[in-house]
């Protein structure tokens, strides 16, 4: 829920996997749809083990935290196997979980507890992806509820990465789930009325000469965006600091290309520009982080796994489940590009669960050649017509007329 002391997702997911081990355990090593995911998860677990050992031996700060780098991929593998044993419509019974991210933001605001914006933004992005698909099906409650939570988080935290993750998940799901390529994309997120009000508000503030920070809800984020290019501000310094961290992490990874720098190895930076965050920390980029801590083979395997999940869900985007998982994965990737989405508690586990389910294409048939189609009423009617015995025409070339009481051909008992 975005509060650092509450590891709700970790506890629930680990407990559920332990309780249901008799259901997914026998298929964990034989499920063909997870063959490559299983291989990458095992490689990451082995690489994480040696990285943690080297980190403890070298006395790096908090090296045991690096166990998450290899433990959560295993959790994702097990969870994907469990989901593949479930009926297609069973996850709909758990949709109440998607209302929790906004509840967590509201709870943090009510009790004045600081929330971790990256975690809340990630949860809201996942919920938003499902909200868009439910909006296509005629239910807007989850989408409106999630947008309310995103607006409140923006007003409280004013973090660029969190808002970008939500917007990216919304846009990607709407793009992948659009009804037809020939039609204009139906954006279910924002009506023309809301868009017009937003534009008029921006114009009113510009013409009145008031500062952007005075804007309701979006004032903080607008001020942060406007100062991102100025290296003498905290917002601009954070951007430059992250770029320096990534360059330094990749440079150090070349010294230990096979095994990485070791779990917990800090990145020491010395720079004259002002910044709010310390220069001795992780790279704040999960893709760079896996390369830096575990080495290039493990890091590239992780990147290829994410790319494969995106490709599989995009190819199957005609299926609503695949479109939703594609949008959720995009939201996770946006968070991973600017934060530690895959390598820390209460953020890493949801990220790996989304990646695993997207890779497995939960609820999508596997023998459809990649272009999965929904079992619609029209499709069932076509199959019934194809299976119905043909009615032979008479000598006149017309169909044989039947009396109202006559039985249909081929249906005699």
């Amino acid at each position: 829920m975005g509060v650092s002391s509450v590891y709700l997702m970790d506890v629930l997911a680990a407990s559920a996997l332990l309780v249901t081990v008799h259901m997914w355990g026998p298929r964990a090593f034989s499920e063909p749809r997870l063959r490559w995911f299983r291989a990458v998860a095992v490689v990451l677990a082995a690489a994480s083990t040696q990285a943690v050992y080297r980190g403890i031996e070298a006395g790096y700060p908090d090296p045991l935290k690096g166990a998450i780098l290899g433990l959560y991929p295993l959790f994702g593998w097990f969870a994907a196997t469990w989901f593949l044993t479930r009926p297609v419509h069973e996850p709909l019974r758990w949709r109440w979980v998607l209302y929790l991210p906004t509840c967590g933001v509201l709870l943090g605001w009510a009790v004045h507890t600081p929330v971790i914006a990256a975690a809340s933004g990630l949860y809201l992005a996942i919920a938003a992806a499902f909200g868009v698909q439910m909006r296509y099906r005629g239910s807007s409650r989850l989408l409106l509820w999630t947008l309310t939570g995103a607006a409140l988080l923006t007003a409280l935290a004013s973090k660029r990465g969190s808002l970008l993750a939500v917007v990216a998940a919304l846009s990607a799901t709407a793009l992948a789930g659009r009804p037809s390529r020939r039609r204009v994309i139906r954006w279910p997120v924002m009506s023309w009325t809301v868009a017009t009000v937003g534009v008029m508000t921006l114009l009113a503030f510009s013409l009145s000469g008031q500062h952007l920070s005075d804007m309701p809800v979006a004032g903080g984020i607008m001020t942060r965006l406007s100062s991102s290019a100025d290296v003498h501000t905290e917002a601009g310094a954070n951007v430059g600091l992250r770029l320096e961290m990534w360059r330094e992490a990749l440079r150090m990874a070349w010294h230990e290309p096979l095994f990485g720098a070791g779990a917990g190895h800090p990145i020491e930076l010395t720079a004259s520009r002002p910044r709010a965050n310390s220069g001795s920390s992780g790279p704040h980029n999960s893709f760079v982080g896996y390369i830096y801590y575990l080495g290039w083979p493990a890091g590239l395997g992780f990147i290829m796994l994410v790319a494969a999940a995106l490709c599989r869900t995009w190819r199957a985007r005609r299926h609503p489940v695949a479109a939703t998982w594609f949008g959720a994965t995009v939201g996770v990737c946006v968070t991973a590009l600017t934060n530690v989405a895959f390598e820390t508690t209460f953020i890493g586990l949801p990220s790996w669960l989304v990646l695993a389910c997207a890779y497995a294409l939960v609820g999508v048939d596997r023998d459809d050649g990649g272009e999965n189609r929904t079992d619609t009423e029209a499709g069932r009617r076509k199959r019934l017509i194809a299976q119905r015995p043909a009615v032979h025409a008479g000598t006149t070339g017309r169909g044989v007329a039947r009396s109202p009481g006559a039985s249909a051909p081929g249906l005699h008992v």
Side-chain angles (χ1 to χ4, degrees):
M1 294 170 65
V3 182
S4 59
S5 59
V6 179
Y7 304 96
L8 184 61
M9 176 61 74
D10 300 65
V11 173
L12 288 178
S15 302
L17 287 174
L18 289 176
V19 170
T20 59
V21 66
H22 64 284
M23 301 167 58
W24 55 263
R27 295 183 57 179
F29 288 92
S30 60
E31 176 55 57
R33 282 170 285 188
L34 298 177
R35 181 173 63 252
W36 293 110
F37 193 101
R38 178 170 63 242
V40 174
V42 172
V43 169
L44 293 180
S48 177
T49 301
Q50 62 85 21
V52 170
Y53 173 78
R54 291 169 56 217
I56 294 176
E57 190 178 36
Y60 296 147
D62 203 9
L64 288 176
K65 190 177 179 180
I68 297 172
L69 297 170
L71 183 62
Y72 281 179
L74 297 179
F75 281 168
W77 162 30
F78 299 153
T81 308
W82 181 81
F83 273 116
L84 285 174
T85 65
R86 302 294 87 211
V88 174
H89 300 292
E90 181 171 332
L92 293 176
R93 296 189 308 211
W94 294 87
R95 60 182 178 269
W96 60 268
V97 177
L98 300 172
Y99 290 86
L100 290 181
T102 301
C103 293
V105 177
L106 290 172
L107 179 63
W109 171 70
V111 300
H112 303 288
T113 301
V115 298
I116 297 179
S120 296
L122 173 69
Y123 304 158
L124 290 169
I126 297 171
F130 284 88
V132 170
Q133 200 59 48
M134 292 180 67
R135 170 64 180 83
Y136 278 144
R137 297 184 176 186
S139 176
S140 303
R141 289 192 299 270
L142 175 61
L143 181 60
L144 294 176
W145 179 251
T146 304
L147 291 178
T148 301
L152 182 58
L153 179 64
T154 302
L156 293 176
S158 299
K159 295 294 186 180
R160 296 159 295 188
S162 306
L163 181 61
L164 182 59
V166 177
V167 173
L170 291 170
S171 304
T173 308
L175 179 65
R178 67 190 190 273
S180 173
R181 294 182 181 178
R182 296 186 179 91
R183 298 182 185 178
V184 178
I185 299 173
R186 297 187 304 166
W187 297 102
V189 180
M190 185 181 299
S191 65
W192 285 109
T193 305
V194 176
T196 304
V197 170
V199 172
M200 291 179 63
T201 303
L202 288 174
L203 289 175
F205 269 86
S206 300
L207 296 175
S208 63
Q210 297 186 24
H211 198 270
L212 290 175
S213 59
D214 297 328
M215 292 181 61
V217 179
I221 192 68
M222 293 296 293
T223 304
R224 195 171 181 85
L225 288 173
S226 62
S227 59
S228 296
D230 188 359
V231 296
H232 298 289
T233 62
E234 183 263 346
N238 276 341
V239 175
L241 177 62
R242 277 178 166 79
L243 293 175
E244 292 179 19
M245 283 181 169
W246 302 343
R247 285 193 293 265
E248 182 66 16
L250 293 176
R251 188 189 65 80
M252 295 177 65
W254 283 113
H255 294 290
E256 292 286 348
L258 292 180
F259 302 106
H265 195 302
I267 302 176
E268 302 290 344
L269 291 178
T270 57
S272 57
R273 65 182 62 181
R275 55 181 181 264
N277 297 332
S278 172
S280 176
S281 65
H284 284 275
N285 184 316
S286 292
F287 302 104
V288 176
Y290 267 90
I291 295 174
Y292 174 60
Y293 292 121
L294 305 186
W296 282 94
L300 292 178
F302 166 68
I303 294 173
M304 292 176 61
L305 187 65
V306 175
L310 289 172
C311 290
R312 287 162 67 98
T313 47
W314 177 255
R315 287 199 305 265
R317 61 190 178 277
R318 294 295 176 261
H319 196 290
V321 173
T324 302
W325 287 118
F326 175 78
T329 306
V330 169
V332 168
C333 290
V334 170
T335 305
L337 285 170
T338 58
N339 220 296
V340 283
F342 285 95
E343 54 208 89
T344 188
T345 53
F346 65 85
I347 303 179
L349 189 56
S351 300
W352 273 107
L353 294 180
V354 167
L355 180 64
C357 293
Y359 185 90
L361 287 179
V362 176
V364 180
D365 294 332
R366 53 176 297 202
D367 55 349
D368 51 6
E371 289 292 334
N372 301 284
R373 295 170 291 274
T374 355
D375 193 14
T376 58
E377 186 65 32
R380 289 194 293 270
R381 193 182 300 114
K382 289 180 181 179
R383 286 196 299 272
L384 288 175
I385 293 174
Q387 294 171 2
R388 186 181 299 167
V391 179
H392 298 286
T395 56
T396 61
R398 298 179 181 177
V400 180
R402 290 185 283 109
S403 63
S407 58
L411 297 180
H412 296 290
V413 214

